[in-house]
Amino acid sequence: MAILEVEKIAKRFGTAEVLNDITFSLNEGEVLAVIGSSGSGKTTLLRCLNFLEKPDCGRIVVRGETLFDSDDHKKTDKSTLRQKRLHFGLVFQSFNLFPQYTAFKNVVLARELAAKKLPDYKKNKKSIIEEIHNDGMQLLDKIGLTSKKDFYPHQLSGGQQQRVAIARALALKPDILCFDEPTSALDPELTGEVLKVIRNLAEPATEPQRGEGSPLAQNTTMIIVTHEMHFARQVADTILFIDEGLIVEYGKPELLDNPSSDRLKRFLERYSQG
């Protein structure tokens, strides 16, 4: 059974139709790469999945639970909306770390705040916080930044900041991890370290390795909006090409070598020339 089912999602901003009839599914442990030109609707799709935007129509189902159905006109309260967002982790282009907190605190803060709402929090505060902190240190180890745990964002490189942002998204244990152009704000020399972390997350789970930065790969289910075509070929199980708000091609990575539509052919030609 698919972990994610997206059916006929559409979104308008005023008279501009940004998404139209977006339908796809994703199995657990799979990686979906979403490609397309700027303004094609890729980021809006991620924002709809994360409930940062409300689709005008369609359905979003995670693990058999309907999170959004445009035919259901009941108003969603803020608490319910927050719970729905927990199914998805989102890593932004521009990191969005809290500048006043260390790398470690950035990773554990959201989970610490969520824990305060647990019914047994006051009674078991010490053990709950200890577990959160242990998990946070494991995540920092996974991304190779244990030695930078007490560094503030301004003391980290762009690549290190993005790796902290990935760990922060993973801390809440989402069903699906979403990336919005995760390397677009990075210099080319820093792009590789971020893509390496994402590759490790996509690989089947392995035995932990000793030493800082051991991959601890975990077969993470991911949706990655990317302009890195070589990376998409290597990591993605499925490619989704959006153009002018429509899915034009959807299939295995081999479609990048043998596109069936003129629109994808033109996109790939522009990419290769760039």
Side-chain angles (χ1 to χ4, degrees), residues 4-10 22-24 49 51 55-62 64-72:
L4 171 67
E5 298 167 83
V6 176
E7 300 175 5
K8 297 184 178 300
I9 290 294
I22 300 295
T23 298
F24 65 91
L49 293 177
F51 300 99
D56 295 316
C57 65
R59 294 176 72 237
I60 299 172
V61 180
V62 175
E65 177 188 355
T66 299
L67 301 186
F68 174 80
D69 187 342
S70 59
D71 292 334
D72 183 357

Side-chain angles (χ1 to χ4, degrees), residues 15-266:
T15 59
E17 191 172 58
V18 181
L19 295 174
N20 183 21
D21 196 26
I22 300 295
T23 298
F24 65 91
S25 62
L26 186 62
N27 291 326
E28 189 159 13
E30 288 186 343
V31 178
L32 173 69
V34 182
I35 64 172
S37 302
S38 297
S40 61
K42 306 184 303 298
T43 294
T44 300
L45 173 59
L46 284 191
R47 291 179 64 84
C48 286
L49 293 177
N50 284 271
F51 300 99
L52 297 174
E53 300 286 354
K54 182 181 179 181
D56 295 316
C57 65
R59 294 176 72 237
I60 299 172
V61 180
V62 175
R63 296 193 185 279
E65 177 188 355
T66 299
L67 301 186
F68 174 80
D69 187 342
S70 59
D71 292 334
D72 183 357
H73 300 291
K74 290 186 295 186
K75 188 174 181 180
T76 303
D77 59 58
K78 290 183 178 179
S79 176
T80 302
L81 190 61
R82 281 194 296 268
Q83 288 301 312
K84 290 180 177 182
R85 284 177 178 152
L86 291 176
H87 290 281
F88 298 89
L90 180 57
V91 179
F92 299 90
Q93 296 180 27
S94 54
F95 325 140
N96 286 0
L97 299 180
F98 296 112
Q100 71 272 36
Y101 295 128
T102 64
F104 174 74
K105 191 67 173 179
N106 265 280
V107 171
V108 301
L109 179 62
R111 196 170 161 198
E112 286 179 343
L113 294 174
K116 292 181 179 180
K117 298 178 182 178
L118 296 173
D120 60 343
Y121 178 73
K122 289 185 178 179
K123 180 180 178 181
N124 299 309
K125 178 179 177 179
K126 183 177 179 180
S127 61
I128 291 172
I129 293 299
E130 183 177 358
E131 179 184 351
I132 291 171
H133 286 189
N134 286 339
D135 289 350
M137 287 304 300
Q138 288 182 29
L139 284 168
L140 285 175
D141 180 65
K142 178 184 298 185
I143 62 170
L145 289 178
T146 303
S147 62
K148 305 288 186 182
K149 69 182 183 68
D150 295 322
F151 282 47
Y152 290 86
H154 75 274
Q155 297 173 304
L156 302 172
S157 70
Q160 290 168 341
Q161 290 184 59
Q162 190 62 295
R163 285 149 65 192
V164 171
I166 292 170
R168 178 178 63 181
L170 287 169
L172 290 172
K173 303 179 180 178
D175 292 300
I176 301 156
L177 186 58
C178 302
F179 294 87
D180 185 12
E181 298 277 15
T183 61
S184 64
L186 301 177
D187 294 334
E189 65 217 47
L190 299 177
T191 295
E193 65 186 66
V194 173
L195 295 182
K196 180 180 178 182
V197 169
I198 299 173
R199 283 192 188 94
N200 286 336
L201 292 172
E203 291 174 359
T206 59
E207 290 297 319
Q209 301 176 20
R210 292 183 175 274
E212 183 176 304
S214 88
L216 297 175
Q218 54 180 331
N219 208 31
T220 306
T221 308
M222 293 184 279
I223 299 174
I224 307 172
V225 169
T226 183
H227 61 277
E228 300 279 350
M229 294 301 109
H230 180 65
F231 174 71
R233 281 186 177 90
Q234 286 184 321
V235 175
D237 297 287
T238 310
I239 304 289
L240 190 154
F241 171 58
I242 296 182
D243 189 43
E244 296 182 354
L246 294 165
I247 295 178
V248 177
E249 294 206 37
Y250 174 48
K252 297 297 181 183
E254 288 77 17
L255 68 80
L256 296 175
D257 299 312
N258 297 288
S260 59
S261 68
D262 289 337
R263 289 157 87 172
L264 180 54
K265 288 177 184 176
R266 288 195 297 269

Side-chain angles (χ1 to χ4, degrees), residues 267-274:
F267 169 77
L268 293 173
E269 286 171 0
R270 290 197 302 273
Y271 169 80
S272 62
Q273 290 168 0

